[in-house]
Amino acid sequence: DELAAARPLATPARPMFAPVLLEPAPSGTSRTAVASLIVAVAGIPLFGLITGLVAIVLGSIALGGIHGSRRRGTGFALGGILLGIVDVVGWLVFLTLALRGGVMPRIDLADFEPDESVLEGLPPAIGRAMRANVLVEWTSNRGMIGGSGIGSGVVVGVADGRMIIVTNRHVVDPEFTADYSAANERPKLGGTLEVKLFGQASRPARVLWIAPDGIDLALVDAPAIEADVRAAPWRTDSRLTVGMEVFAVGNPCGLGWTHSPGVISQLRRQTCGSRRIRVIQTNAAINPGNSGGGLYDKDGNLIGINTWTNDKRISEGLGFAIAWESLLELNPPGLKTPEPEPLEPQKEPPAEEATDRP
């Protein structure tokens, strides 16, 4: 009875699992890979810093699309990526050199010692300034790396076998900034300080005084071994005018005892804490290493201490010196008005005998 009552199952109208027909993968060369290589090549003459990055991105996308397909273009994509990297690196190097003004040959300063014979026959004003100029060098052993630097100074007094040298504070204190809250703290050099006279060996020195209120001046004390050490002449009543002929003596970039002529371009004022100091603007060449050196009038009297210069990539002929009168107003210890010492007249070369011959 049960078998007679059973009914057959209904046949489905369509199969439950129909076969899926896969479309054939596209063939041919990937356009994205070709575009990557074209953009990378275009980046060589064009701005490769941008086009190179675009080529790298396009090449990476092309490689992802080519993988697992029948498309060609792997070589184009890899070439676009590699050339894109070359574009980016090359343009970064080019821009760096262009902004820095190109590659300059490095000077070995040890090969450019001044010729001692040049002091003979110099105009007395320049010769006296040359002998009063010193090269100041500090070496710091603070930390694991340490550091060193050079600057200039001027001998302004000699007594009892010692000489007093005026320089900038930032020459003897590399961590100095015009921060008035800590301006009166003594410098923490943590190394050695040496000074060198023209044609003489270096000798140890020590900081004797620093200017208050963040004024960039300092006095250094060192032994005066030689009997012919000369101090720069200076006066308390210097009359400075715009257009007045001046010259600087210092050690720019370590090239010691360099003479740089110029004029006073302007007289300015600077506020340092509660004080206002006088600043001399000059077009005499002032470069790194001139800091602390002297600015002199045409008679060889010290009128200022070279302190600042503008970025040479922006402008030329902008140098600044703290006027000597501003240092005297601070009443630093050990400075005494020098006795007037007449400068020796410059020797004139012998005149040639008259002759009728042409």
Side-chain angles (χ1 to χ4, degrees):
D1 296 336
E2 292 178 357
L3 290 175
R7 297 181 180 181
L9 296 174
T11 303
R14 57 180 180 179
M16 297 180 63
F17 300 97
V20 178
L21 298 178
L22 297 176
E23 296 182 359
S27 60
T29 302
S30 171
R31 295 181 179 178
T32 307
V34 175
S36 171
L37 184 59
I38 293 175
V39 172
V41 172
I44 297 176
L46 301 178
F47 190 61
L49 195 61
I50 301 299
T51 55
L53 292 175
V54 173
I56 294 172
V57 173
L58 291 177
S60 301
I61 294 174
L63 285 179
I66 292 172
H67 182 69
S69 69
R70 293 189 298 173
R71 284 192 172 185
R72 298 185 299 274
T74 302
F76 291 123
L78 291 176
I81 293 174
L82 294 177
L83 192 54
I85 294 174
V86 173
D87 286 346
V88 173
V89 174
W91 273 87
L92 281 175
V93 174
F94 172 77
L95 292 176
T96 301
L97 295 179
L99 292 176
R100 290 183 178 179
V103 179
M104 298 295 293
R106 184 173 180 84
I107 299 176
D108 187 357
L109 301 178
D111 295 336
F112 290 90
E113 285 291 325
D115 185 358
E116 296 183 22
S117 64
V118 300
L119 290 181
E120 301 177 4
L122 277 178
I126 299 177
R128 184 70 177 263
M130 288 283 184
R131 290 183 173 88
N133 179 74
V134 299
L135 189 147
V136 182
E137 182 175 9
W138 61 266
T139 303
S140 175
N141 54 16
R142 182 176 297 180
M144 299 180 61
I145 300 177
S148 62
I150 58 174
S152 303
V154 184
V155 179
V156 293
V158 180
D160 302 326
R162 309 290 296 182
M163 57 182 174
I164 295 179
I165 302 165
V166 62
T167 185
N168 289 135
R169 178 173 175 177
H170 74 259
V171 172
V172 298
D173 182 10
E175 297 184 1
F176 167 73
T177 59
D179 180 7
Y180 305 125
S181 61
N184 296 325
E185 296 181 1
R186 291 194 61 81
K188 302 174 182 179
L189 186 59
T192 59
L193 183 66
E194 294 184 335
V195 298
K196 181 180 180 182
L197 291 165
F198 192 99
Q200 304 296 331
S202 298
R203 65 202 67 188
R206 61 189 177 93
V207 177
L208 181 66
W209 171 83
I210 58 172
D213 294 326
I215 299 175
D216 198 354
L217 292 171
L219 290 183
V220 173
D221 171 74
I225 304 173
E226 299 78 15
D228 60 346
V229 177
R230 293 291 181 269
W234 49 272
R235 302 187 307 179
T236 58
D237 58 346
S238 298
R239 295 182 179 180
L240 308 179
T241 58
V242 175
M244 175 177 165
E245 293 184 7
V246 296
F247 66 89
V249 174
N251 313 300
C253 302
L255 297 173
W257 295 270
T258 297
H259 169 267
S260 303
V263 299
I264 293 179
S265 303
Q266 189 54 264
L267 298 171
R268 304 188 181 277
R269 290 284 181 180
Q270 182 191 37
T271 301
C272 296
S274 59
R275 304 174 188 267
R276 285 177 62 81
I277 63 174
R278 199 175 198 188
V279 175
I280 304 170
Q281 178 185 335
T282 178
N283 65 350
I286 305 297
N287 294 284
N290 274 112
S291 294
L295 186 69
Y296 301 85
D297 63 18
K298 65 178 181 179
D299 296 323
N301 294 306
L302 182 64
I303 62 172
I305 302 300
N306 301 316
T307 306
W308 307 282
T309 185
N310 200 29
D311 191 337
K312 303 299 183 182
R313 295 174 298 179
I314 300 175
S315 61
E316 292 281 354
L318 289 179
F320 302 90
I322 298 177
W324 182 251
E325 63 188 64
S326 292
L327 184 143
L328 295 179
E329 292 173 356
L330 301 175
N331 195 25
L335 276 187
K336 297 180 181 179
T337 305
E339 296 292 333
E341 182 177 336
L343 297 174
E344 298 179 0
Q346 184 179 1
K347 297 180 180 179
E348 297 291 341
E352 297 183 359
E353 296 182 0
T355 177
D356 294 334
R357 291 177 296 178

